[in-house]
Amino acid sequence: MAGTNAIAGIGLRPPHLPGLLSGTAARPGWVEIHAETFMPAHPGAGSHPRLRDLERLRADLPVSIHGVGLSPGSAGGIDADHLARLVDLVRRLDPVLVSEHAAWCRTPAGWIDDLLPLPMTTGALRSLADNVCRIQDALKRPLLIENPSTYLPLAGEMDEPAFLTALVRQTGCGLLLDVNNIAVSAHNLGGDARAWLAAMPLAAVGEIHIAGHAVEPDPDDPAAPTLLIDDHGHAVADPVWDLLDQALVATGPVPVLLERDTDLPPWTVLIAEAARADLAIDRVRP
């Protein structure tokens, strides 16, 4: 990943900007933003003050753009206005990477505030591949697609690793490998997280995400299996760190991004978690 030198970064949230701009907060190797937080109100619109602050930060800190609202998995195609706004943001920031999700969040009636998984079918694969190709054509660069978290089994014709392997082959996109999502999905569906990870198209990995999750017991049956929720509101769990190590052994040094969206801890806590990820990357350097 050009500009990051395969080191750890942190998901940038608006409360982090003042300290980074003033120099009072320690800087990570790079930061990743949510596109929708900084995109212009409409294509060609003047930049929001928050975006101007980000452009100042981008002058000497690599930035990656992570979309959460484009809905590449939508069978009805991509919203043209949303894509144009993303293209505008990419042009302004010249990020080192751009990524989105193998998920959908839009219907003809509007936008759903969630990232919903796709059925692993040839029809869903065709829609996703068509949309990914359209996005890449508009951006004039490869896109990384992230594996989502799953909570209920969906009928399908293939498993997630086979689905994403086919997507990479058909579109030339890369994979944003979220090892926390694998841990969550495997636990909730009764799968083997390590085998799930090993079957992914690891040669296509351009970035890895790590994050924390919530453990939810069944309120009606304390003896029932727990449910893991990908809430990005907790410290990274030990099984996720183990999956990160497994992934890096297979991929070699690639950038790792620490995500935290809720219950934001002090910046020093995030820096410490990112430093642990740096150590994991260093262990697989030649």
Side-chain angles (χ1 to χ4, degrees):
M1 175 177 178
T4 64
N5 195 29
I7 54 180
I10 296 176
L12 179 70
R13 304 299 170 251
H16 302 148
L17 266 172
L20 289 173
L21 288 171
S22 67
T24 58
R27 290 196 171 190
W30 57 288
V31 294
E32 185 167 87
I33 65 162
H34 284 166
E36 288 70 18
T37 303
F38 295 92
M39 287 194 327
H42 56 81
S47 60
H48 188 281
R50 185 182 292 165
L51 177 54
R52 293 195 291 272
D53 286 342
L54 182 60
E55 288 173 325
R56 289 171 52 204
L57 188 65
R58 174 67 181 93
D60 57 2
L61 186 65
V63 172
S64 175
I65 293 179
H66 188 50
V68 296
L70 193 52
S71 197
S74 292
I78 295 295
D79 180 84
D81 181 78
H82 195 109
L83 178 56
R85 293 162 63 209
L86 176 62
V87 169
D88 193 21
L89 182 66
V90 169
R91 177 185 59 79
R92 293 179 188 221
L93 289 180
D94 188 25
V96 289
L97 285 175
V98 183
S99 56
E100 249 288 358
H101 299 80
W104 62 278
C105 58
R106 286 184 182 272
T107 72
W111 185 72
I112 300 169
D113 190 17
D114 207 342
L115 294 167
L116 302 175
L118 299 170
M120 303 297 164
T121 64
T122 54
L125 175 61
R126 187 180 309 112
S127 294
L128 178 60
D130 287 347
N131 290 337
V132 167
C133 287
R134 181 181 173 190
I135 296 166
Q136 292 184 139
D137 288 345
L139 293 175
K140 296 180 173 54
R141 62 161 72 200
L143 184 70
L144 297 183
I145 290 293
E146 178 181 345
N147 55 297
S149 52
T150 306
Y151 301 93
L152 294 170
L154 297 175
E157 301 162 13
M158 63 195 92
D159 60 17
E160 181 179 86
F163 184 88
L164 292 175
T165 297
L167 178 70
V168 168
R169 183 177 64 249
Q170 292 179 23
T171 67
C173 73
L175 179 65
L176 196 172
L177 180 68
D178 191 315
V179 292
N180 180 62
N181 287 353
I182 290 178
V184 166
S185 297
H187 175 91
N188 292 338
L189 302 184
D192 181 333
R194 295 185 66 84
W196 191 316
L197 172 59
M200 295 289 267
L202 298 177
V205 172
E207 180 185 340
I208 297 174
H209 274 186
I210 54 174
H213 55 254
V215 181
E216 298 287 342
D218 186 334
D220 299 319
D221 183 3
T226 58
L227 183 72
L228 299 189
I229 306 293
D230 176 37
D231 69 346
H232 295 186
H234 295 78
V236 179
D238 286 341
V240 176
W241 286 114
D242 291 342
L243 288 178
L244 174 62
D245 287 336
Q246 178 187 342
L248 288 170
V249 167
T251 65
V254 296
V256 176
L257 190 281
L258 171 67
E259 292 187 294
R260 186 70 174 259
D261 296 321
T262 62
D263 294 327
L264 290 175
W267 182 250
T268 53
V269 173
L270 297 178
I271 286 290
E273 278 196 288
R276 181 172 175 180
D278 270 323
L279 290 175
I281 298 169
D282 286 344
R283 286 195 290 270
V284 298
R285 293 192 192 278

